[in-house]
Amino acid sequence: MDRLISLLIGYVCGLLQTGVIVGKINHVDIKKEGSGNAGSTNAVRVLGWKAGAMTFAGDVIKCVAAIIIVRLMYKGSEVLPLLAMYAGVGATLGHNFPFYMHFKGGKGIAVLGGLVVSTGLTLVPIPLAAFLIASVLTRYVSVGSLLASTMFFLEVVLFGQNGYFKMDAPYLYELYVLVFILMVLAWYRHKTNIKRLLSGTEMPFKSDKK
């Protein structure tokens, strides 16, 4: 039951579509412009860097908020890292599949950023470096996003095996499964980007806002 509650808390927080709100502030329906995605990358392309930064920050914060709520509710629990991860998964699902938008939301990378930060600042440098280096070198945010999600999964397993989460093996392996699901979900949500990358038609990252 604690797992389900944590997942639902995350989902409700994830339903806040920052990109849509920022778009409305700028009198633009972000779902009908650019790639049609409600995430920060499309916000930058359509509305500029300021709007993109606001969208990114909002998507990060809603995941952090979900995890803070769960941590406060279950303070002292021996499986708190696991419950926090359920909240992060819920926030990702709420962001990616909001019921009131016909389950068509963003791709969850900014939300993943909030999850990485909430899991522990020690885990931040590797996914962040992977994202920045890959995005800058290739000029494709999709490549950076996929690499960051993969590196997060690998480091969670590495840190977990070295006692970072301080949980018994069954709970630890359950945690690994959740992060693996997040990685697979990130790759799935980027399937069209992957097809364009393979065909050489993926759009380099830049702002079209004049």
Side-chain angles (χ1 to χ4, degrees):
M1 182 61 71
D2 293 343
R3 291 169 173 79
L4 179 58
I5 291 174
S6 299
L7 191 70
L8 289 175
I9 289 173
Y11 185 81
V12 171
C13 290
L15 290 175
L16 179 66
Q17 296 293 316
T18 314
V20 174
I21 295 173
V22 172
K24 287 183 177 180
I25 292 174
N26 288 275
H27 309 291
V28 172
D29 185 350
I30 195 72
K31 298 293 291 181
K32 295 182 179 179
E33 301 291 340
S35 66
N37 188 270
S40 52
T41 301
N42 194 42
V44 171
R45 288 197 175 111
V46 175
L47 299 169
W49 288 97
K50 182 179 179 180
M54 291 173 62
T55 301
F56 182 85
D59 289 343
V60 168
I61 290 172
K62 69 186 181 185
C63 182
V64 173
I67 292 174
I68 288 176
I69 293 171
V70 168
R71 287 187 178 276
L72 290 174
M73 285 180 60
Y74 296 104
K75 185 178 181 181
S77 171
E78 295 180 352
V79 294
L80 189 55
L82 179 61
L83 297 178
M85 192 61 69
Y86 269 101
V89 172
T92 303
L93 293 176
H95 176 80
N96 291 2
F97 308 107
F99 70 90
Y100 63 93
M101 291 173 58
H102 306 291
F103 301 99
K104 296 179 180 179
K107 297 180 180 178
I109 298 303
V111 178
L112 179 65
L115 178 56
V116 174
V117 171
S118 300
T119 304
L121 294 179
T122 306
L123 280 72
V124 172
I126 294 178
L128 179 60
F131 175 80
L132 292 176
I133 292 172
S135 298
V136 170
L137 291 181
T138 67
R139 295 186 63 201
Y140 298 127
V141 173
S142 54
V143 174
S145 300
L146 293 173
L147 186 58
S149 66
T150 302
M151 294 306 298
F152 180 56
F153 167 68
L154 293 176
E155 74 170 351
V156 164
V157 173
L158 177 62
F159 277 62
Q161 291 302 107
N162 283 278
Y164 182 82
F165 297 104
K166 299 178 181 179
M167 293 190 300
D168 292 337
Y171 303 117
L172 195 59
Y173 297 149
E174 186 176 349
L175 181 74
Y176 297 163
V177 170
L178 291 178
V179 184
F180 179 76
I181 290 173
L182 286 174
M183 180 186 71
V184 171
L185 182 59
W187 281 75
Y188 171 75
R189 294 293 289 170
H190 283 81
K191 61 183 184 296
T192 54
N193 300 87
I194 295 172
K195 290 179 181 178
R196 290 196 295 265
L197 284 167
L198 293 175
S199 64
T201 58
E202 176 74 332
M203 185 185 303
F205 181 63
K206 64 178 181 178
S207 173
D208 295 329
K209 179 74 173 179
K210 301 300 183 182

